[in-house]
Amino acid sequence: MTLDIESGIRCPKIDMHCHVWLMDGWEQSADQLVASGDMLGITEYWCSSIIQQGILAPFEDVPPHNNTILSAMARHPKRIRGWCFVIPGHFQDAIGEAERCLDAGMIGIKLYNQYRINDPVLHPILELASERRVPILQHAGYPVPEHRASQPLISHGIHFTEASEKYPDAILIHAHIGGGGDWEHTVREMRQASPNVYIDVSGSNLDDGQVEYAVSELGVERVLFGTDGTMAGSVGKVLDADLSEDEREHIFWINAERILAQQGAAPTEPRTY
Amino acid sequence: MLIDVNAWLGTWPFRSLRDNTPDALITRLDRSGIDKAVVSYIEAAFHRHPQSANERLARDVEPHGDRLIPVGTINPLSPHWEDDLASCIDLGMRGIRLFPQYHNYQTDGAESRSVVQACAQCNLPVFIPHRLEDVRQHHWMDPGQSLDLAQLANLIAAVPSATIIIPNARPLARSPLWMREDLRDLNWYFDLSLAEIHYGLHKSTNAMKDLGYLIEEGGAGHILFGTHLPFSYAGPALVKLAILPVDEEMLEDIKYRTATKLLNF
């Protein structure tokens, strides 16, 4: 049977891994993101603005990123939802910032590579996320050593598995299977993780078989659709994966909807197709 | 009609690939709605003297001549590579592939220029993949790196009569290749396999639309359809083809008309 790309593009999707950046022109970027999604059937985006490169920035640098996301949510209330970025080493300030943003309508907590997901410094964040039934999305992957050198504390699968042993109810999402690195390695490391540990399909690496591998190792209910800016590429890899239509719908929509439901939320628009 | 200018047969040493035999690839092309595909043997990138891989390619593709278009590989460090080039032409190869990062020579050096010049004289396009695999996951035994698009620009400038196709390039709109305005009317091309169109992961509004900006700036004529099968899914290139902001005439060029001319059908 030939791939039905046109029909697949129209299929509704929730992009649970995307960004609006703290920068001049963020409004234009947010508008372009929404317009891009219009062409691909993406009805809502879960966005963050983050401090990268493992920088342990002072706490004062963090809220402006989250305020940009809150502004983007206000600009596109039916399309953009927010991840609250925090640096867990800010301890009480990080907890306070997460509570501020969640109370303002954000749906989860975003972590980058300042700390690994199994570092004890994250325990208060994991406890807060568990209490409020919100997911944590962390930048992750298993890049080769020369690419790991610039982010020595990047998490990979084994760290999610270890974190989930201590906090089995926490909803933890390993970001971008295609974010660069040995994706088979990091997925294999999550075989023993809690059923509440997920992976998203985003990233610029479009290796054939990637989505099916995640589904075979973790089960289709633990694979989420995200783009991280690789918009058409991420849609295309799910459409081309050797999956049933029901499995594709779980990745594009149903799994994200289930995560929202745990905090009493629902997609911004009902799924119509 | 849809022609894929970026497909492969054979074995990648560091990961199992599906659909990497002629029959399996054709089945995958059928599933993807692709009529013809340009193919080379992956192994040729690792052979010091790739002519035996070229001969095997010609033999294996011959029964599928209506679907698979063979492109031979030349290593300019192999003695008498000119004989291999002549043999490739005799074998019916529609182009030549170079792997500077695997055969260990400069992309814009004398060796590359010699082969590209010879191919230009024979009216053969030269395929130079920007990369084979994402370098962030490369095996320690894999020497492959992404090529420097500035060096590719130098090569294009050095042999302006050549046709050069650069599969797997990304990003493009703000690359040293597109920024060389003196090269914009020359015959160089890239494919849809990796570059994004309408939005990308950039902290600058100036760079967020890669192919989108390139098309707005008049670069659509440099685009070809290519998937990087079976390394990559075909779906990403097919989705991009469906949403490309170009008119019907340009879309037909991208789907097959430009490739047909370049491959001398």
Side-chain angles (χ1 to χ4, degrees), chain B residues 154-197:
Chain B
N154 293 339
L155 179 62
I156 292 164
V159 193
S161 60
T163 296
I164 296 181
I165 299 165
I166 310 162
N168 303 330
R170 179 190 74 91
L172 288 153
R174 299 294 172 257
S175 72
L177 178 54
W178 183 243
M179 299 310 282
R180 284 279 300 267
E181 295 190 12
D182 59 314
L183 305 181
R184 289 188 178 179
D185 292 332
L186 298 182
N187 293 316
W188 59 268
Y189 303 87
F190 55 90
D191 75 337
L192 285 176
S193 59
L194 284 181
E196 282 288 323
I197 304 168

Side-chain angles (χ1 to χ4, degrees), chain B residues 33-50:
Chain B
I34 298 169
D35 297 284
K36 297 176 186 287
V38 168
V39 292
S40 300
Y41 265 116
I42 298 165
E43 292 91 314
F46 297 93
H47 292 183
R48 289 177 288 265
H49 309 288

Side-chain angles (χ1 to χ4, degrees), chain B residues 112-135:
Chain B
S112 293
R113 290 200 299 272
S114 296
V115 178
V116 171
Q117 184 72 52
C119 288
Q121 289 169 358
C122 303
N123 198 26
L124 279 178
V126 180
F127 295 72
I128 309 178
H130 188 227
R131 74 183 200 197
L132 286 186
E133 190 178 61
D134 188 331
V135 297

Side-chain angles (χ1 to χ4, degrees), chain A residues 4-268:
Chain A
D4 186 350
I5 294 294
E6 295 287 347
S7 176
I9 286 174
R10 289 196 303 275
C11 174
K13 306 165 188 76
I14 295 173
D15 178 356
M16 49 60 62
H17 184 166
C18 211
H19 297 280
V20 173
W21 301 107
L22 169 60
M23 65 177 185
D24 291 338
W26 70 263
E27 299 93 337
Q28 185 186 346
S29 172
D31 295 350
Q32 185 60 33
L33 174 67
V34 170
S36 176
D38 287 342
M39 294 176 232
L40 295 166
I42 298 171
T43 59
E44 67 176 80
Y45 304 88
W46 300 358
C47 294
S48 62
S49 179
I50 52 182
I51 295 171
Q52 295 174 289
Q53 298 172 328
I55 295 171
L56 291 169
F59 172 71
E60 292 71 29
D61 289 359
V62 173
H65 286 269
N66 293 323
N67 291 339
T68 298
I69 297 301
L70 290 169
S71 298
M73 292 163 59
R75 187 176 179 90
H76 294 286
K78 291 287 189 182
R79 308 299 297 278
I80 292 180
R81 308 181 94 140
W83 292 101
C84 173
F85 170 71
V86 295
I87 296 175
H90 293 146
F91 191 44
Q92 293 289 11
D93 286 335
I95 294 293
E97 178 67 0
E99 289 181 327
R100 176 182 81 93
C101 293
L102 293 171
D103 290 345
M106 292 196 186
I107 52 83
I109 297 168
K110 169 75 184 207
L111 305 174
Y112 205 68
N113 57 7
Q114 282 84 3
Y115 301 91
R116 288 186 173 135
I117 192 86
N118 63 337
D119 190 315
V121 76
L122 266 78
H123 289 177
I125 295 290
L126 292 169
E127 286 163 11
L128 174 68
S130 297
E131 285 168 17
R132 297 190 61 144
R133 303 308 301 145
V134 298
I136 293 176
L137 170 64
Q138 187 174 39
H139 174 79
Y142 193 75
V144 295
E146 61 263 38
H147 288 270
R148 211 157 53 226
S150 61
Q151 44 181 344
L153 295 181
I154 187 172
S155 296
H156 50 88
I158 193 66
H159 305 119
F160 285 82
T161 299
E162 289 176 9
S164 78
E165 288 169 359
K166 186 166 181 62
Y167 293 96
D169 293 332
I171 305 165
L172 306 179
I173 306 171
H174 178 304
H176 40 52
I177 189 174
D182 184 343
W183 45 269
E184 292 169 291
H185 183 112
T186 199
V187 171
R188 289 171 70 94
E189 287 182 329
M190 295 200 294
R191 280 181 181 170
Q192 305 301 322
S194 147
N196 290 314
V197 176
Y198 296 74
I199 194 163
D200 80 54
V201 304
S202 71
S204 60
N205 183 311
L206 306 174
D207 281 356
D208 187 51
Q210 205 174 67
V211 179
E212 296 93 318
Y213 189 76
V215 169
S216 70
E217 289 287 332
L218 306 180
V220 73
E221 297 195 340
R222 293 166 61 192
V223 181
L224 296 162
F225 173 70
T227 66
D228 198 16
T230 301
M231 312 294 292
S234 300
V235 171
K237 72 163 82 165
V238 177
L239 293 183
D240 200 3
D242 188 12
L243 301 172
S244 69
E245 285 310 304
D246 179 65
E247 289 173 318
R248 240 182 288 284
E249 286 183 23
H250 273 79
I251 294 171
F252 277 141
W253 188 278
I254 294 170
N255 295 338
E257 184 178 45
R258 190 176 62 250
I259 286 174
L260 287 174
Q262 292 195 51
Q263 56 184 281
T268 57

Side-chain angles (χ1 to χ4, degrees), chain B residues 20-190:
Chain B
N20 59 345
T21 64
D23 287 337
L25 182 64
I26 287 170
T27 300
R28 186 71 179 268
L29 296 177
D30 289 341
R31 179 174 181 266
S32 307
I34 298 169
D35 297 284
K36 297 176 186 287
V38 168
V39 292
S40 300
Y41 265 116
I42 298 165
E43 292 91 314
F46 297 93
H47 292 183
R48 289 177 288 265
H49 309 288
Q51 186 53 20
S52 59
N54 293 333
E55 291 167 3
R56 186 160 60 94
L57 176 68
R59 193 167 58 244
D60 292 350
V61 163
E62 194 275 332
H64 312 284
D66 58 334
R67 304 295 302 278
L68 303 180
I69 305 162
V71 164
T73 297
I74 296 292
N75 178 2
L77 302 185
S78 176
H80 303 295
W81 61 262
E82 298 89 344
D83 294 343
D84 295 345
L85 176 60
S87 177
C88 281
I89 294 169
D90 291 341
L91 289 167
M93 303 293 180
R94 297 295 184 141
I96 290 299
R97 208 179 283 275
L98 297 180
F99 296 102
Q101 67 271 63
Y102 286 93
H103 288 142
N104 197 25
Y105 54 89
Q106 282 292 315
T107 304
D108 56 353
E111 296 91 351
S112 293
R113 290 200 299 272
S114 296
V115 178
V116 171
Q117 184 72 52
C119 288
Q121 289 169 358
C122 303
N123 198 26
L124 279 178
V126 180
F127 295 72
I128 309 178
H130 188 227
R131 74 183 200 197
L132 286 186
E133 190 178 61
D134 188 331
V135 297
R136 296 170 297 179
Q137 71 184 39
H138 81 90
H139 190 280
W140 64 270
M141 292 180 73
D142 178 5
Q145 295 291 330
S146 296
L147 297 180
D148 182 345
L149 288 174
Q151 290 187 14
L152 278 159
N154 293 339
L155 179 62
I156 292 164
V159 193
S161 60
T163 296
I164 296 181
I165 299 165
I166 310 162
N168 303 330
R170 179 190 74 91
L172 288 153
R174 299 294 172 257
S175 72
L177 178 54
W178 183 243
M179 299 310 282
R180 284 279 300 267
E181 295 190 12
D182 59 314
L183 305 181
R184 289 188 178 179
D185 292 332
L186 298 182
N187 293 316
W188 59 268
Y189 303 87
F190 55 90

